[in-house]
Amino acid sequence: MKQKQRRLALSLTVAVGATLAASTAMAQAIDSKRIEANNPNDWLTYHGSYNSYHYSGLTQINAKNVKDLSVAWIHIPGHSTRGLQSMPLVADGILYYSGSYSRVFAIDGATGQVLWSYFPELDDALVARQTHSPYNRGVALGEGKVFVGTVDGRLIALDMKTGKPVWDTKLIDSQKLTIGFTGAPLYVNGEVVIGSQGGEWPVRGKIYAVDATTGKLRWDFNTIAPTEETKKTWGNDSWRVGGGGGWMPGGYDAETNTIWWGTSNGAPLYDWSGPDWMHTGARPGTNLYISSVLGLDAASGKLKFFHQENPHDVWDFDSAVGEFLMIDRGGQKYVVHPNKGGYIFVYDRSANVKNVWPISHNINYAKIDPKTGELTDRRDMTAGKQAEVLCPHISGGVSWNAGSYDPKTGLYYKIGNEWCMHLDIVKTTPVTEPQVQLNIGANFTIAPPPNGPIYGHLDARDPITGQTKWEVRFPEPPLASVLSTGGDLVFVPDARGTVHAYDATTGKELWNHGDGTGHQGGIISYAAHGKQYVAVVAGFGGMASDDYAPTFGGVFKSMPRDDGALVVYSLSK
């Protein structure tokens, strides 16, 4: 069956290859300079640009005419196990996106015509053993290629015109380690950077950089104890099974040639050490470099600087969220980074803390000093059922889904979620033979906050001070990314399946449309043949959305699962 699918994809390539080649013959090559230029007609990297704004400067669709927005075309990728979570990219009017099982599609952005598709051959037995697979959160573009990571530990380059593989590099022994790649790669200056999946596995997570032309490994960085000195932060040699990884794409500071990358939690996810975590428990010590922000030299992969946002993270409130907003204001160069615990960290360009502010209202795992970034009033738990709910829920006060910064309004539009969990911490022993097994160390269920119901909210905030301009509430936490545009709009795809458009200045809802299934992925805007489009992926089923039907009931009980669609909107007039 796999061979048949592959032949079908290649035959489709032959049929449309000439058309695609003609349409892109005059296109400018995609390199780091083009990505930095940030032409609003395109969407060339995960957050639209290296500065992570997730913002489109296009104005054809605006606050005055958004009421006329309607569906232009829809693509059904098929085989969407765990829904769709990817972020589409667009170059020269051609849209590229990934589906479950790391499948990749190239589509005419104006008509919806499929130009080519690529289905990598995967080991079904391996995929079945992996807890988080087989979703994929996106691709990267560069040097005439589309780059995609796979759940079996490979990084693949496809020819942008034909979809044919250019190289296929194995980076992780997924048969042994049972992890791979679910996040999107980042193309920077001739190399493709990608981080390994998750943090709850007893392995040593890594960030890899591969030569974009040859597919050969240029450098890698161990996120767990890369030096003898950092091994000392892992008592009892627990660094050998420490977890970590960097499962979402980071950002890039071209001025200093620095890659910013966030790392995930440790293994076991929930330690039972209690307050004496420096000396007891499963992994005594601060555990470098889990739950950290890293600054890596793009050429060599050497560590320039870091800040560990949650030393000895025992809550899964890690730093792998990939947003690194690079904002210049008042003569200062800031980097704004959300943390899963519901805090927003504001750094200078060397990761020195300038401010920390909470976007979530229900946080009881720790307080953070806004001047130093130091954790106070930590809640370090011992084994057994916890009497008090832990807030936020494991899915995060914020999660990997992108917010959006509008340079016109100066506001940061970001989802904050209010949910907690009942927790029963269980002592575990790492399992590494014959294959590595997930090491969570707890059982947990969703719970409402102590003083009210579960809900989510879209905030319009000053990204540096955290001051709120306006807020819109949702009855269930939204799981998808946010988009703001030069047309004074903010788009939010919600969990119930509705896409909303709000006035960027006031928060007033101006338009909405139902996509028929919940959203948990990307949304972008681009132009093709002089017309602006908004593209959103829809499709429920996954680590967070699996809990929606039993928790919230209603529409989620009948909502389709393990399906998905790319829905593209344009003005009908």
Side-chain angles (χ1 to χ4, degrees):
M1 183 64 182
K2 292 177 182 175
Q3 291 293 338
K4 183 177 180 181
Q5 289 173 336
R6 188 176 181 87
R7 288 195 298 271
L8 177 61
L10 291 176
S11 65
L12 180 60
T13 295
V14 172
V16 303
T19 301
L20 181 56
S23 67
T24 60
M26 302 301 293
Q28 178 187 353
I30 298 174
D31 56 16
S32 287
K33 289 185 177 180
R34 179 174 172 184
I35 296 174
E36 288 174 51
N38 195 21
N39 185 328
N41 293 329
D42 299 321
W43 194 280
L44 297 178
T45 192
Y46 189 88
H47 292 295
S49 61
Y50 287 137
N51 59 21
S52 293
Y53 286 4
H54 213 87
Y55 165 84
S56 169
L58 296 174
T59 60
Q60 190 179 89
I61 301 170
N62 54 60
K64 294 181 178 179
N65 61 19
V66 69
K67 64 182 184 300
D68 298 320
L69 207 61
S70 62
V71 175
W73 54 268
I74 297 174
H75 177 253
I76 307 294
H79 209 34
S80 296
T81 304
R82 311 201 90 165
L84 282 181
Q85 302 186 29
S86 66
M87 187 72 67
L89 303 184
V90 176
D92 306 305
I94 307 299
L95 184 149
Y96 306 87
Y97 85 111
S98 59
S100 297
Y101 302 93
S102 306
R103 297 179 171 192
V104 183
F105 303 88
I107 303 174
D108 186 301
T111 67
Q113 178 190 2
V114 177
L115 302 173
W116 55 256
S117 59
Y118 174 76
F119 299 167
E121 295 183 14
L122 302 174
D123 183 334
D124 291 337
L126 169 63
V127 172
R129 291 200 305 270
Q130 292 178 307
T131 305
H132 290 6
S133 61
Y135 56 78
N136 185 276
R137 289 176 174 155
V139 300
L141 304 177
E143 302 184 12
K145 304 176 188 70
V146 183
F147 307 100
V148 63
T150 68
V151 293
D152 61 353
R154 295 143 61 199
L155 185 62
I156 300 174
L158 308 173
D159 186 284
M160 286 182 67
K161 296 179 181 180
T162 66
K164 293 181 178 180
V166 179
W167 49 256
D168 186 331
T169 300
K170 183 72 170 177
L171 294 172
I172 300 176
D173 181 4
S174 297
Q175 291 287 352
K176 169 69 174 177
L177 301 181
T178 64
I179 61 170
F181 301 113
T182 54
L186 178 72
Y187 170 83
V188 172
N189 290 339
E191 64 188 24
V192 189
V193 185
I194 192 168
S196 63
Q197 166 191 2
E200 302 86 46
W201 284 263
V203 298
R204 295 175 73 191
K206 281 189 177 184
I207 300 166
Y208 304 85
V210 171
D211 187 285
T213 301
T214 65
K216 294 182 179 179
L217 182 69
R218 283 193 179 181
W219 54 259
D220 58 30
F221 182 86
N222 271 319
T223 62
I224 303 297
T227 65
E228 291 302 315
E229 194 64 27
T230 53
K231 287 178 182 177
K232 297 176 183 177
T233 68
W234 294 80
N236 304 326
D237 283 344
S238 55
W239 59 269
R240 299 179 185 276
V241 289
W247 43 273
M248 287 298 291
Y252 175 61
D253 181 2
E255 187 175 332
T256 60
N257 198 33
T258 303
I259 292 171
W260 287 69
W261 211 275
T263 65
S264 65
N265 52 284
L269 192 161
Y270 296 100
D271 196 357
W272 48 86
S273 60
D276 192 24
W277 50 267
M278 281 295 292
H279 305 99
T280 63
R283 42 183 172 87
T286 55
N287 303 158
L288 294 175
Y289 291 101
I290 66 165
S291 299
S292 298
V293 164
L294 308 178
L296 302 176
D297 182 86
S300 66
K302 291 183 178 179
L303 182 69
K304 290 184 171 184
F305 50 78
F306 78 96
H307 176 73
Q308 189 172 35
E309 294 181 338
N310 283 334
H312 194 85
D313 181 1
V314 294
W315 314 283
D316 195 13
F317 298 148
D318 63 62
S319 307
V321 177
E323 291 173 73
F324 292 95
L325 279 70
M326 298 186 185
I327 299 172
D328 295 347
R329 180 186 292 184
Q332 300 294 315
K333 294 179 179 292
Y334 297 103
V335 178
V336 180
H337 178 252
N339 178 283
K340 269 187 70 180
Y343 287 101
I344 309 295
F345 286 76
V346 182
Y347 299 105
D348 66 13
R349 296 293 168 89
S350 296
N352 297 303
V353 173
K354 295 299 182 180
N355 190 23
V356 183
W357 53 269
I359 192 170
S360 298
H361 309 312
N362 291 276
I363 301 174
N364 68 9
Y365 77 94
K367 295 178 181 178
I368 299 181
D369 187 310
K371 295 181 180 180
T372 66
E374 182 181 359
L375 271 65
T376 62
D377 298 326
R378 288 178 61 114
R379 187 174 166 191
D380 292 289
M381 300 162 286
T382 56
K385 291 185 178 180
Q386 306 303 303
E388 183 184 359
V389 295
L390 180 69
C391 305
H393 180 258
I394 189 173
S395 295
V398 303
S399 192
W400 56 273
N401 318 93
S404 180
Y405 174 70
D406 184 339
K408 288 176 59 180
T409 64
L411 295 173
Y412 180 35
Y413 306 99
K414 183 67 178 174
I415 297 293
N417 289 328
E418 311 301 331
W419 47 4
C420 306
M421 58 181 172
H422 297 294
L423 197 61
D424 181 7
I425 296 178
V426 181
K427 292 185 178 181
T428 60
T429 300
V431 176
T432 59
E433 299 293 340
Q435 292 98 23
V436 167
Q437 294 185 23
L438 192 67
N439 190 14
I440 292 180
N443 300 306
F444 49 85
T445 56
I446 291 179
N451 300 316
I454 297 172
Y455 69 97
H457 47 98
L458 170 69
D459 287 11
R461 301 259 197 153
D462 182 296
I464 308 303
T465 68
Q467 182 179 0
T468 303
K469 178 72 178 292
W470 53 260
E471 179 183 285
V472 175
R473 292 196 175 194
F474 298 85
E476 303 87 20
L479 297 175
S481 294
V482 178
L483 168 71
S484 63
T485 75
D488 303 313
L489 295 168
V490 180
F491 290 92
V492 180
D494 73 12
R496 292 189 178 187
T498 301
V499 185
H500 305 265
Y502 301 98
D503 185 290
T505 302
T506 67
K508 179 182 177 181
E509 184 166 5
L510 303 175
W511 169 89
N512 65 70
H513 186 275
D515 284 337
T517 186
H519 301 95
Q520 56 178 352
I523 179 169
I524 68 166
S525 188
Y526 65 93
H529 303 299
K531 190 169 186 175
Q532 183 182 356
Y533 297 86
V534 174
V536 59
V537 297
F540 239 33
M543 297 297 288
S545 58
D546 281 347
D547 290 327
Y548 274 53
T551 302
F552 303 115
V555 65
F556 299 103
K557 285 189 174 181
S558 58
M559 184 175 288
R561 304 189 59 75
D562 294 328
D563 70 349
L566 173 70
V567 184
V568 179
Y569 293 92
S570 65
L571 292 173
S572 57
K573 296 182 181 180

